[in-house]
Amino acid sequence: MIPLKELLQQFGKNGKHRLLISNMSWQGLERGTRMLAGVFTGILLAAYLGPGPLGVYSYALSFIMLFSPVINLGYDTMLPRDILFEKEKWNEILGSSALLRLAGSLLAILSIEAFTWFDTSMLPEMKTMIRVLSLSFLFYPFDVFDIWFRVQMKSKNASISKITALVIINILKLYFIWQKAPLLTFAWLYVSEFIVNGILQFSFYIKTEPRKVKQWMATTQRIKFVLREAWPLLVSTFSFMIYSRIDQVMIGNMLNNEQVGIFAAAGKISDLPVALILVLNSTLYAYLAANFKNNRELFNSQYLLLTRLYTILSYLMLLIVLVFGGWIIAIYPHSFAAGTAVLKIEFIGLVFVFNSGIRNAYLSLSGNQKYLLYTTLGAAVMNILLNLFLIPAFGINGAAWASSISEFFALFLLNGLFPKIRYIFIVQAKGLIPVGLLKGI
């Protein structure tokens, strides 16, 4: 194994460390702003709405997200790779991706409309909420600009767009909480954030690349390539959405909206650390991809190092939540106190989320995306079955255990069953017992 000091020096070679630090700083600022805004306005919104109405909103949001994989076809993992490895075809890559996203957005909205139309058991209030939230899908194609900026190490543009939209919408949320606005208002605000962000992303692209947008093209060849290459990722993304979102839908159907609200409030806290993984991975992806292509030994060492660092970080967070979980959940009103146990259980699952932080990047770079299909499909089935047994027996705590067990199963254990990705299992097993991290320092 390459010593830690040497590895850290490798990350900063060739003057790239300034770009890495700049991009990481902007993405960190974006995630930090989102985290602070989410906690602050989230607490006030939860206090204003209470568990019941918050449960309606959370149920509707989880419901529409089950259809979201149709939009990007799971191609988000491969799009940065294709931009980096096929630089001469950037125009057809971006044009074809944007067109596919637009078509996927319309298909997802129509599918949601069909489901809500034929579901006679769903309350009219819930149907309206779902239909309004689904309109946000129309602006998902603008994410192409976000991915382009991040791959080009220009995260400043993407981050400014998202921060601006976030700040504007959260100020409006505070105003409408003060005005005691109806629940549906906050659904429209959710959609509005996508509108503002999309306009700003497009404006920055036009400003920085004034001629390139005219060169975009959608080709039949590229569309066929994406559909052929991305279908395993599409199914795996669907499976991921099922095992990450189906719990709130099942809680709503098997218990009530109040329990959904409590479960969702705890989930908002456990979602915050995942932002750190997203910032680090999106910043380091281009560098890791280059090393995977040109220096496999260095890549393997960096993969193991990052896995160990991520896992240690998850252990520290788990310890904090186990000790101070009651005080952490107390940021919400007392009516959400039952979420303390849910929060602790979810942070157990986060150990395996952090431990597998580089896994998807490795599968994409090595051309083994199909194993995402196998592992997430298995996890989705397991999560549904566990929820069917655990929710009636243990309520929302059972749903939390179902999620954590499914994460262990999908993100760690199943890697060892397939010879071609057993290397991932070995790296993550070493990461879970990171005793070798300090060697060579």
Side-chain angles (χ1 to χ4, degrees):
M1 178 182 174
I2 298 176
L4 177 58
K5 283 184 178 179
E6 184 178 338
L7 269 175
L8 295 176
Q9 290 171 358
Q10 289 287 346
F11 274 114
K13 274 190 173 181
N14 302 322
K16 292 183 179 180
H17 63 290
R18 291 184 179 179
L19 278 175
L20 287 172
I21 292 173
S22 175
N23 277 266
M24 193 177 297
S25 298
W26 276 106
Q27 292 187 54
L29 179 62
E30 174 201 327
R31 298 290 178 180
T33 305
R34 185 169 297 279
M35 183 168 56
L36 291 174
V39 171
F40 182 67
T41 60
I43 294 170
L44 293 176
L45 186 61
Y48 168 60
L49 296 177
L54 182 63
V56 172
Y57 180 87
S58 300
Y59 179 98
L61 190 58
S62 293
F63 184 87
I64 69 163
M65 292 309 294
L66 293 175
F67 296 84
S68 63
V70 174
I71 301 173
N72 58 32
L73 302 173
Y75 188 53
D76 279 0
T77 306
M78 298 168 59
L79 182 55
R81 181 203 67 182
D82 290 347
I83 294 173
L84 286 167
F85 290 176
E86 300 181 79
K87 294 180 180 179
E88 71 284 356
K89 298 180 179 179
W90 64 268
N91 55 338
E92 69 171 84
I93 291 173
L94 293 178
S96 300
S97 180
L99 180 61
L100 283 169
R101 283 168 180 264
L102 179 59
S105 298
L106 296 174
L107 179 59
I109 291 172
L110 290 174
S111 300
I112 289 171
E113 179 62 28
F115 269 85
T116 55
W117 179 268
F118 289 108
D119 189 350
T120 56
S121 64
M122 188 178 290
L123 295 175
E125 176 191 22
M126 184 66 76
K127 289 186 177 183
T128 302
M129 179 70 63
I130 288 172
R131 286 166 177 160
V132 171
L133 290 173
S134 69
L135 294 177
S136 62
F137 288 169
L138 291 173
F139 303 92
Y140 273 42
F142 288 97
D143 283 344
V144 171
F145 299 115
D146 177 81
I147 294 172
W148 168 263
F149 285 133
R150 298 192 191 284
V151 170
Q152 300 299 318
M153 293 290 187
K154 297 178 181 178
S155 293
K156 177 180 178 180
N157 296 330
S159 295
I160 288 177
S161 300
K162 291 193 171 184
I163 290 172
T164 303
L166 180 69
V167 170
I168 291 173
I169 298 306
N170 275 273
I171 290 174
L172 289 174
K173 281 183 181 178
L174 295 176
Y175 172 76
F176 284 114
I177 290 173
W178 177 57
Q179 289 292 317
K180 300 187 183 301
L183 178 61
L184 195 61
T185 302
F186 300 97
W188 282 113
L189 288 176
Y190 175 85
V191 176
S192 299
E193 184 174 342
F194 285 87
I195 297 174
V196 175
N197 176 59
I199 293 172
L200 291 175
Q201 295 271 14
F202 180 70
S203 300
F204 272 117
Y205 186 83
I206 293 296
K207 182 179 179 180
T208 57
E209 310 284 356
R211 298 179 181 177
K212 285 188 174 181
V213 71
K214 296 180 181 179
Q215 301 175 36
W216 281 29
M217 64 175 68
T219 64
T220 303
Q221 182 180 4
R222 173 58 58 174
I223 290 173
K224 288 181 178 179
F225 170 80
V226 172
L227 294 175
R228 183 175 65 250
E229 291 290 312
W231 76 264
L233 289 173
L234 171 61
V235 179
S236 67
T237 305
F238 260 123
S239 302
F240 173 78
M241 281 297 172
I242 289 173
Y243 94 77
S244 64
R245 292 283 184 171
I246 199 66
D247 43 18
Q248 293 188 32
V249 175
M250 295 182 72
I251 290 170
N253 291 334
M254 300 171 72
L255 300 177
N256 53 59
N257 288 329
E258 182 176 346
Q259 294 300 303
V260 176
I262 296 172
F263 187 87
K268 287 183 180 297
I269 298 175
S270 62
D271 284 344
L272 294 177
V274 180
L276 179 61
I277 292 288
L278 297 175
V279 170
L280 291 172
N281 285 355
S282 60
T283 301
L284 295 172
Y285 184 87
Y287 184 68
L288 291 173
N291 286 337
F292 183 88
K293 185 177 181 181
N294 303 318
N295 190 339
R296 192 64 61 85
E297 180 184 0
L298 177 60
F299 172 86
N300 290 339
S301 296
Q302 290 169 343
Y303 182 17
L304 178 57
L305 170 67
L306 289 171
T307 299
R308 283 174 164 166
L309 289 173
Y310 285 4
T311 308
I312 286 178
L313 184 59
S314 72
Y315 286 152
L316 294 175
M317 292 188 298
L318 175 60
L319 179 62
I320 291 171
V321 170
L322 289 177
V323 176
F324 301 107
W327 285 315
I328 294 173
I329 206 71
I331 63 175
Y332 293 110
H334 182 69
S335 54
F336 291 88
T340 302
V342 172
L343 184 66
K344 293 179 179 181
I345 296 167
E346 288 182 340
F347 267 79
I348 294 174
L350 276 183
V351 170
F352 303 103
V353 173
F354 272 66
N355 178 250
S356 64
I358 308 295
R359 172 177 176 265
N360 285 6
Y362 178 85
L363 290 173
S364 174
L365 292 169
S366 62
N368 287 310
Q369 302 95 319
K370 64 180 180 180
Y371 292 103
L372 281 174
L373 166 62
Y374 303 150
T375 56
T376 53
L377 187 59
V381 173
M382 170 173 278
N383 195 29
I384 292 173
L385 293 175
L386 287 173
N387 275 315
L388 286 173
F389 288 101
L390 295 180
I391 290 177
F394 303 103
I396 56 177
N397 292 344
W401 277 117
S403 296
S404 293
I405 294 170
S406 298
E407 286 163 348
F408 165 75
F409 183 71
L411 301 177
F412 176 69
L413 192 62
L414 282 181
N415 296 324
L417 299 182
F418 303 102
K420 284 193 175 182
I421 61 169
R422 196 162 290 153
Y423 170 72
I424 297 176
F425 176 80
I426 294 172
V427 170
Q428 291 183 203
K430 291 179 179 179
L432 289 172
I433 311 175
V435 293
L437 180 62
L438 300 179
K439 287 184 180 180
I441 295 180

